[in-house]
Amino acid sequence: MIKLADRISRLQPSATLAMSQKSSELKAQGIDIINMSVGEPDFNTPNHIKEAAKRATDENYTRYSPVPGYPELRKAVVNKLKNENGLDYTMDQIIVSNGAKQSVCNTIMALVSNGDEVIIPAPYWVSYPQMVLMADGTPVFVEAKIEQDFKITPKQLEETITPKTKLLILCSPSNPTGAVYTQEEMEGLASVLRKHENVYVICDEIYEHLNYTNQKHASLALCEGMKDRCIIINGVSKAYAMTGWRIGYIAAPLEIAKACNKLQGQYTSGPCSVSQMASVEAYNASQDCIEEMRVAFERRKDLIVKLAKEVPGFEVNNPQGAFYLFPKCSSYFGKRYGDRVIANSTDFAMYLLEEGHVATVGGDAFGSPECFRMSYATSDENIIEALARIKAACAKLQ
């Protein structure tokens, strides 16, 4: 028997990818599955961005790029941060990676050592604690319930920080809940963090443009004294429907940026050259495509919230960003179908897949076992049909 590294045994497989695989297997059997498990825009990449990729190949952007990314892209990111967010960075503070997921992992690996604690608000994106474990760190969870719109309070943060705390991971707009922190709420968290100058913050802002609050995107880096302790994570995947292009970035204090560059140079080098040039076009050209998609997502959000509230036993809040709904479904725990019992949200999600033919993800994987996640990055018709199926499936539970 092969003895694998200890870090492999510490990790859990991705629940979102596992559910996606299970639904694909049922589809292959000819079953009509509505997939609401994957966090991916259903729009195509805008044509002007695809045309830029074609030009890039014609212009022979087909060789290795610099490890931190092409200067053209890092300059475009600097300009975006200045013009959209009011934040000043230099190009050497920007590191472009193979998706925002690598950007998060780079940062954790650069900052976290054995025994360091990393505060992760729950519900959380499935990969955050796994990445901390890879870095030999200790994930410390802070529960944010549906009653508080899935957002932690300054008091909760203060009570969780210890001398071992190295990092806080804050995702707004949030995956899996769609929660959006206001600038006032960010200021509240900053008032706590200013007392603990050795704590850094990963600000995962990948869903920045999917915001339905009618307020400007709030960033912790804008709070007094916080920019030099924040590592902003962002990229093109969600805003421009470019998930498969795999381009993310960090904007960070120079020492952290250099550390991430050093790491990346050893295990992936620079990201895809053609994708980078497409991303330059995404940032530098008209941003109208972002608003078109945002408006569509907001309409779908209003639709799925309305329909989910009509399912008996669900507790539903009104998310203000991203493209996820995270209803509380614990009223169905203990109910039976055939000789099986719904013990938790993973069982519930599997029941919805097998009985209702709708793929969702149980909240256990996100640190919130009483809820489950639905992505509304799909058509209005699919949302209407999926919620009808879910309602019918729930009615069969006894």
Side-chain angles (χ1 to χ4, degrees):
M1 183 176 178
I2 297 172
K3 179 167 172 49
L4 298 174
D6 291 343
R7 72 179 61 86
I8 299 300
S9 63
R10 289 199 298 267
L11 301 182
Q12 298 293 322
S14 169
T16 52
L17 295 180
M19 182 58 82
S20 182
Q21 180 179 342
K22 176 69 174 176
S23 62
S24 295
E25 291 169 1
L26 292 176
K27 273 188 174 180
Q29 297 170 24
I31 299 172
D32 174 34
I33 302 294
I34 299 176
N35 194 344
M36 304 183 87
S37 68
V38 179
E40 178 173 52
D42 59 321
F43 297 99
N44 292 323
T45 302
N47 286 333
H48 68 281
I49 297 173
K50 292 190 284 190
E51 289 301 321
K54 295 172 188 174
R55 287 196 304 274
T57 57
D58 291 340
E59 294 168 7
N60 295 312
Y61 280 92
T62 54
R63 295 178 171 84
Y64 292 133
S65 74
V67 171
Y70 284 125
E72 299 98 314
L73 180 52
R74 285 182 287 145
K75 186 174 190 299
V77 169
V78 166
N79 291 339
K80 175 257 185 273
L81 290 166
K82 174 67 174 175
N83 298 331
E84 289 188 5
N85 305 102
L87 292 166
D88 289 312
Y89 288 92
T90 59
M91 284 171 54
D92 54 2
Q93 291 179 278
I94 309 298
I95 307 295
V96 182
S97 302
N98 297 280
K101 192 169 194 173
Q102 186 185 11
S103 298
V104 175
C105 199
N106 279 351
T107 305
I108 291 171
M109 296 297 284
L111 282 173
V112 176
S113 299
N114 188 16
D116 286 343
E117 293 179 351
V118 179
I119 296 174
I120 305 175
Y124 46 74
W125 179 48
V126 293
S127 293
Y128 292 148
Q130 305 303 318
M131 291 174 178
V132 172
L133 291 171
M134 275 197 289
D136 293 327
T138 303
V140 178
F141 303 113
V142 184
E143 186 179 17
K145 295 180 177 291
I146 193 170
E147 293 80 10
Q148 59 197 79
D149 265 345
F150 300 114
K151 292 184 278 190
I152 64 168
T153 65
K155 183 173 184 290
Q156 285 180 298
L157 178 60
E158 182 72 80
E159 290 171 349
T160 309
I161 293 175
T162 75
K164 292 183 178 180
T165 304
K166 184 64 175 284
L167 193 59
L168 163 68
I169 303 179
L170 195 65
C171 181
S172 177
S174 162
N175 175 7
T177 67
V180 177
Y181 286 81
T182 65
Q183 196 61 49
E184 183 180 4
E185 289 167 334
M186 290 293 190
E187 293 288 351
L189 299 178
S191 69
V192 174
L193 291 163
R194 279 191 284 267
K195 303 176 201 171
H196 303 276
E197 59 185 25
N198 294 321
V199 178
Y200 291 85
V201 185
I202 288 178
C203 302
D204 188 343
E205 302 182 358
I206 191 66
Y207 293 94
E208 171 189 2
H209 290 293
L210 299 180
N211 182 331
Y212 319 123
T213 66
N214 296 318
Q215 296 179 13
K216 187 178 168 74
H217 170 71
S219 178
L220 194 68
L222 289 168
C223 300
E224 182 182 351
M226 290 308 302
K227 178 171 171 280
D228 289 341
R229 290 165 52 197
C230 287
I231 302 91
I232 292 176
I233 310 286
N234 211 325
V236 296
S237 62
K238 313 300 184 182
Y240 301 96
M242 293 177 69
T243 51
W245 300 75
R246 308 311 302 134
I247 295 293
Y249 68 81
I250 68 164
L254 184 58
E255 193 173 353
I256 295 173
K258 286 182 175 179
C260 290
N261 187 48
K262 187 176 183 181
L263 273 171
Q264 188 161 294
Q266 291 297 349
Y267 62 86
T268 62
S269 300
C272 172
S273 56
V274 174
S275 293
Q276 288 187 66
M277 298 315 294
S279 300
V280 171
E281 178 72 9
Y283 282 124
N284 288 346
S286 167
Q287 303 297 292
D288 290 348
C289 60
I290 290 179
E291 181 60 11
E292 290 170 13
M293 287 187 271
R294 192 202 67 80
V295 168
F297 282 126
E298 184 171 16
R299 183 190 68 247
R300 295 169 180 182
K301 185 264 295 186
D302 292 339
L303 176 62
I304 197 170
V305 167
K306 173 181 174 292
L307 294 175
K309 285 182 175 179
E310 295 172 1
V311 179
F314 280 7
E315 188 175 338
V316 182
N317 74 324
N318 187 14
Q320 295 299 305
F323 39 61
Y324 305 107
L325 188 66
F326 203 61
K328 191 172 180 179
C329 60
S330 53
S331 65
Y332 288 97
F333 296 174
K335 300 210 172 207
R336 307 183 67 88
Y337 61 106
D339 59 351
R340 294 162 69 179
V341 177
I342 304 286
N344 50 45
S345 61
T346 298
D347 287 350
F348 183 72
M350 190 56 66
Y351 172 73
L352 293 183
L353 179 62
E354 294 174 352
E355 180 64 32
H357 299 157
V358 179
T360 63
V361 188
D364 306 74
F366 302 101
S368 187
E370 73 280 4
C371 299
F372 74 108
R373 193 188 79 172
M374 294 186 282
S375 166
Y376 52 87
T378 188
S379 68
D380 295 43
E381 293 76 18
N382 276 348
I383 292 169
I384 292 167
E385 174 63 20
L387 268 293
R389 293 182 185 185
I390 287 172
K391 189 175 183 180
C394 288
K396 295 179 182 178
L397 291 172
Q398 299 176 349

